[in-house]
Amino acid sequence: MDSVRSIIKWAGGKKRALASIKKHLPTGAKRLIEPFVGGGAVFLNLDFEEYLLVDINKDLINLFNIIKNSPDTFINHAEVLFCPGNNNSHYYNKVRSDFNETDNEYYRSLLFLYLNRHGYNGLCRYNQSGGYNVPFGNNDKVYFPKDELKYFNDRAKTATFIQGDFELAFNQAKQGDVIYCDPPYSPLSNTANFTEYSGNTFTAHDHIRLVRCAEQV
């Protein structure tokens, strides 16, 4: 069976590495825990009875929870944004401005999916003020992931999504859980730094904290 695609594009997604990941995970566990769920490719393609999925990105977790709880309404509203006439820089910049100005969680979730699919190279990036600042992607066609959204909703029925620091995931781990950990990479250079995708810098100190959390489980 082919692997299931995420509803969003995500830098560092693990869709191509799923076969290797499966080989290294123990069998017989009831719950999968991901302290850095990202695009969710791993959880979508591994069969567990339960999932505990954490990420620091508030917009990401908000999107996941809304699709879990209101799938049909969300799909109907989101699909309208994906018409060919909305695939241009003028409309994209307007949506990005609206996204940065609103606090309405449902509206943000719709705009977040549009921005992710229409933005440059699947990036998710915020400036120091918390404003989403990814430029327009200039793609000829933009795919609306309707089937993926429906599958995500079905899989999410046994998942709990939590926004917060990775320590939240480790603190809730119980004997028999499987923890799959895919933290932001340490950059090779300042210009290659992809650790600020959520508006927070994942520092060397955070990597040390992560190691200590793993050692205590």
Side-chain angles (χ1 to χ4, degrees):
M1 175 179 167
D2 292 336
S3 58
V4 178
R5 294 183 296 184
S6 173
I7 60 174
I8 57 175
K9 299 188 292 183
W10 203 255
K14 291 298 177 287
K15 183 175 182 292
R16 296 181 180 178
L18 286 170
S20 177
I21 292 170
K22 289 179 181 179
K23 291 179 182 179
H24 291 86
L25 293 181
T27 59
K30 179 180 179 181
R31 184 169 69 161
L32 173 69
I33 297 177
E34 291 193 64
F36 309 90
V37 65
V42 174
F43 123 80
L44 288 169
N45 288 279
L46 296 182
D47 291 324
F48 287 80
E49 293 181 31
E50 299 176 23
Y51 305 87
L52 175 61
L53 308 167
V54 177
D55 203 278
I56 195 67
N57 188 307
K58 184 177 180 180
D59 292 311
L60 179 72
I61 296 300
N62 176 54
L63 173 67
F64 287 172
N65 275 318
I66 285 176
I67 296 169
K68 174 183 177 179
N69 297 318
S70 305
D72 294 335
T73 301
F74 180 88
I75 290 172
N76 289 337
H77 288 159
E79 192 167 15
V80 175
L81 296 174
F82 279 70
C83 68
N86 291 344
N87 185 23
N88 58 77
S89 60
H90 176 76
Y91 189 81
Y92 178 90
N93 290 335
K94 180 183 182 301
V95 169
R96 188 176 63 184
S97 177
D98 290 346
F99 177 82
N100 287 331
E101 293 175 3
T102 184
D103 293 324
N104 183 287
E105 291 186 348
Y106 181 75
Y107 188 43
R108 282 182 72 89
S109 70
L110 294 170
L111 302 186
F112 186 71
L113 180 63
Y114 168 90
L115 291 170
N116 172 266
R117 285 280 173 174
H118 291 77
Y120 178 75
N121 206 29
L123 293 178
C124 181
R125 188 183 65 197
Y126 303 78
N127 59 31
Q128 292 299 315
S129 299
Y132 192 89
N133 65 357
V134 177
F136 179 59
N138 199 29
N139 300 302
D140 291 336
K141 294 183 180 180
V142 178
Y143 175 70
F144 179 65
K146 189 171 186 176
D147 290 340
E148 288 82 357
L149 287 164
K150 292 180 178 179
Y151 184 87
F152 185 99
N153 168 258
D154 185 67
R155 178 67 65 138
K157 292 174 182 176
T158 56
T160 299
F161 300 100
I162 300 176
Q163 186 272 327
D165 185 81
F166 62 83
E167 286 195 32
L168 290 173
F170 283 93
N171 289 340
Q172 296 188 46
K174 302 175 183 178
Q175 185 174 2
D177 289 337
V178 170
I179 302 177
Y180 172 72
C181 208
D182 180 28
Y185 306 131
S186 295
L188 298 176
S189 67
N190 288 334
T191 57
N193 193 345
F194 290 101
T195 66
E196 297 186 26
Y197 76 100
S198 60
N200 302 85
T201 301
F202 198 84
T203 65
H205 174 69
D206 291 319
H207 281 285
I208 293 171
R209 283 199 302 126
L210 177 58
V211 171
R212 289 174 178 169
C213 284
E215 289 175 341
Q216 294 172 6
V217 173

